[in-house]
Amino acid sequence: MAGNGKTDKAILPKRSNRASFSGKRGSEWIFSDVPSDIVIEVDGVSFALHKFPLVSRSGRIRKLVADRRDSDVSKLEFPGLPGGAETFELTAKFCYGINFEITTANVAPLFCAAEYLEMSVEYAEENLISRTEAYMEEVVSQSLEKSLEVLQNCENLLPLAEELKIVSICIDAIASKACREQMASSFSRLDYSSSGRLHSNGQPKNSGDWWVEDLSVLRIDLYQRVIDAMKSRGVRHESIGASLMHYAQHSLKGLCKKQSVWDATTRSKLNAATAMEHEQRILVETIVSLLPAEKSSIPISFLFGLLRTAIMLDTTVACRLDLERRIGLQLDFATLDDLLIPSFLHTGDTLFDVDIIHRILVNFLQQDDNEDQMDSHSAYESDGLSSPSQTAIIKVAKLIDGYLAEIAPDSNLKLSKFIAIAEILPDYARVVDDGLYRAIDIYLK
């Protein structure tokens, strides 16, 4: 395929899935009159090349050729080469001295392929490993956006990308850059008044959080490590909460949406997709484990939606109890629709899950105890929790009276469960009892 005079000519496979390659440096063709003496096959694609430029850069190819010197090796196969045929094409170009651009799209597979082919300085100065290392240090690690792109490209290169520190370099860069951008954004919002005092200039608080949605492209295991790194770096909990919400909504698609009734058809579809259900279960459990400790980080409506999803996917009991605790600590911000959680059990049970609401109410009323317990879990200690205020209790009482009226018509609702919900709040919670009497009247009818 040589002969048109372009120095960046790609190694293009012929229709027979076989690619010939001739390289040049400057205006002189390399081996232009020398026939190919070795074929390299990668993922079913063959490249007709020359041994000399390959063995001069690749320790792996040099060893393989030397080991088979007696048989005059003419073909080598690399079925597991990182990045596949496309990446090998670039490594071959490098061996032939043909210029090409290292980019965020190809640096990770190139780095891994160079390691696989042993293209180190031991075999040639400024070999491909050192070139890709330099690009990672000088270009990728200096940019949050570039680091995120490279990290995403590492998903199909594990565990080699992990061993070469590509993953850790990207994660550290993303976390540190996000933290710095938030700090810079915070400083940019401050001005000095005529008296010399600092004050906010009114710019949006989240102006340094453009990355919140971008993280959703990552696989959950890599995303978890990024969020953990951000927490350790001091990224604002509101930003982490926003990222978790977007990631959940993006990854779980329609599962986080509220459902007023349990649809057996939906359940059958979930059962038919066991692998996807398992993946989503792990995703939900991971997101819950990453939720910031601060109450203000996540809106309660999202927590309720996440709890519904956790129930549907049958996550661990610990996962669901953690969500119930978090909801209980800010129950006074809930709406009636939030409380109407369908009963995902047998058809003979209640329409709505009353037991969950009872446990949430217990958490709401025992916030002091929750604080002690969560010191050893995902504690909210930074909020300095105390017992709920009288205002919060009155708000919750009105909410619960409305909830009781909503569930009262259910013929399967046992009297003991109805009474347990009605009596759990202290006497002073209800300024008037009209709402409770209305719910009782509906239940008796």
Side-chain angles (χ1 to χ4, degrees):
M1 291 189 180
N4 62 359
K6 293 183 179 180
T7 60
D8 58 351
K9 177 73 174 179
I11 311 173
L12 300 174
K14 297 180 179 179
R15 293 182 180 178
S16 62
N17 270 348
R18 186 183 182 89
S20 61
F21 181 95
S22 292
K24 72 170 193 175
R25 185 177 291 124
S27 58
E28 299 175 0
W29 286 101
I30 296 178
F31 305 138
S32 57
D33 298 325
V34 180
S36 167
D37 58 3
I38 189 169
V39 173
I40 307 293
E41 185 173 311
V42 181
D43 293 344
V45 179
S46 297
F47 299 88
L49 305 171
H50 305 89
K51 292 178 184 178
F52 178 74
L54 298 179
V55 299
S56 66
R57 291 281 186 175
S58 169
R60 188 185 187 106
I61 295 178
R62 179 183 299 186
K63 293 172 186 175
L64 290 172
V65 170
D67 290 344
R68 305 180 190 179
R69 182 173 299 174
D70 294 339
S71 59
D72 191 23
V73 58
S74 60
K75 183 176 182 179
L76 294 175
E77 296 182 8
F78 297 130
L81 188 138
E86 183 178 354
T87 300
F88 177 76
E89 177 180 322
L90 295 179
T91 62
K93 290 178 98 173
F94 184 83
C95 292
Y96 277 81
I98 295 181
N99 293 327
F100 66 89
E101 184 179 4
I102 297 178
T103 67
T104 53
N106 64 31
V107 66
L110 268 177
F111 197 163
C112 292
E115 180 70 21
Y116 179 91
L117 294 172
E118 301 177 27
M119 300 177 70
S120 66
V121 292
E122 179 182 351
Y123 300 98
E125 293 183 1
E126 295 187 355
N127 213 341
L128 190 54
I129 290 179
S130 60
R131 292 285 186 90
T132 51
E133 284 179 334
Y135 186 86
M136 287 292 302
E137 180 181 352
E138 298 169 8
V139 179
V140 175
S141 63
Q142 305 304 314
S143 165
L144 191 159
E145 190 173 13
K146 288 182 172 61
S147 296
L148 180 58
E149 182 180 351
V150 173
L151 181 59
Q152 184 185 11
N153 291 335
C154 288
E155 292 180 358
N156 297 321
L157 298 169
L158 299 174
L160 185 54
E162 187 79 68
E163 296 170 4
L164 296 176
K165 310 295 183 184
I166 303 175
V167 173
S168 58
I169 289 172
C170 291
I171 290 175
D172 185 67
I174 292 169
S176 61
K177 298 301 178 186
C179 186
R180 289 179 186 176
E181 288 192 14
Q182 283 195 343
M183 292 177 63
S185 174
S186 298
F187 286 129
S188 69
R189 295 196 310 272
L190 297 177
D191 286 334
Y192 283 96
S193 64
S194 57
S195 62
R197 294 183 177 181
L198 281 172
H199 65 91
S200 175
N201 59 22
Q203 291 184 18
K205 186 176 181 180
N206 62 348
S207 57
D209 295 346
W210 58 266
W211 48 265
V212 163
E213 296 184 2
D214 293 1
L215 294 183
S216 297
V217 301
L218 294 176
R219 202 170 66 186
I220 185 63
D221 54 337
L222 296 178
Y223 176 78
Q224 179 180 16
R225 292 174 60 181
V226 170
I227 294 298
D228 285 337
M230 285 185 168
K231 286 181 178 180
S232 65
R233 289 277 185 171
V235 173
R236 286 195 298 262
H237 61 84
E238 299 94 340
S239 303
I240 291 176
S243 177
L244 287 165
M245 288 175 58
H246 189 274
Y247 190 92
Q249 292 162 351
H250 175 267
S251 303
L252 295 171
K253 309 213 182 280
L255 285 177
C256 279
K257 295 180 180 178
K258 297 177 183 178
Q259 298 181 14
S260 58
V261 294
W262 175 236
D263 185 356
T265 303
T266 303
R267 182 64 183 176
S268 64
K269 289 181 179 179
L270 282 174
N271 287 336
T274 306
M276 180 178 292
E277 183 177 347
H278 176 71
E279 181 180 335
Q280 291 173 332
R281 184 184 302 117
I282 293 175
L283 193 146
V284 169
E285 292 170 357
T286 303
I287 289 175
V288 172
S289 71
L290 292 172
L291 292 175
E294 295 80 3
K295 290 194 296 183
S296 59
S297 304
I298 304 290
I300 192 170
S301 59
F302 176 78
L303 291 177
F304 269 109
L306 203 55
L307 178 57
R308 284 179 171 83
T309 307
I311 297 168
M312 290 172 60
L313 296 173
D314 193 25
T315 62
T316 63
V317 174
C319 172
R320 283 172 277 167
L321 290 179
D322 190 19
L323 285 170
E324 291 174 12
R325 278 195 296 269
R326 293 173 182 274
I327 290 171
L329 295 175
Q330 48 181 318
L331 186 59
D332 48 314
F333 295 101
T335 66
L336 179 57
D337 285 342
D338 289 330
L339 301 185
L340 298 177
I341 300 176
S343 181
F344 303 109
L345 297 173
H346 305 292
T347 55
D349 209 335
T350 55
L351 181 62
F352 298 107
D353 197 324
V354 180
D355 294 332
I356 286 180
I357 302 305
H358 186 272
R359 290 195 298 269
I360 289 174
L361 281 166
V362 170
N363 280 288
F364 170 71
L365 295 170
Q366 297 180 348
Q367 291 188 28
D368 280 332
D369 294 339
N370 276 340
E371 182 183 12
D372 295 336
Q373 294 171 5
M374 296 183 81
D375 281 340
S376 59
H377 299 288
S378 53
Y380 284 69
E381 65 274 3
S382 58
D383 282 73
L385 292 176
S386 60
S387 298
S389 67
Q390 185 172 354
T391 302
I393 291 178
I394 291 173
K395 286 178 63 178
V396 170
K398 292 180 179 179
L399 178 66
I400 292 303
D401 288 347
Y403 175 74
L404 287 170
E406 191 70 28
I407 66 174
D410 190 345
S411 59
N412 291 322
L413 178 62
K414 296 179 181 179
L415 177 61
S416 59
K417 291 190 176 183
F418 183 90
I419 293 175
I421 296 291
E423 291 184 341
I424 193 172
L425 295 171
D427 294 338
Y428 64 85
R430 295 180 174 88
V431 179
V432 294
D433 295 324
D434 294 354
L436 179 59
Y437 287 140
R438 175 174 173 269
I440 293 173
D441 185 54
I442 294 174
Y443 182 79
L444 293 175
K445 287 182 180 180

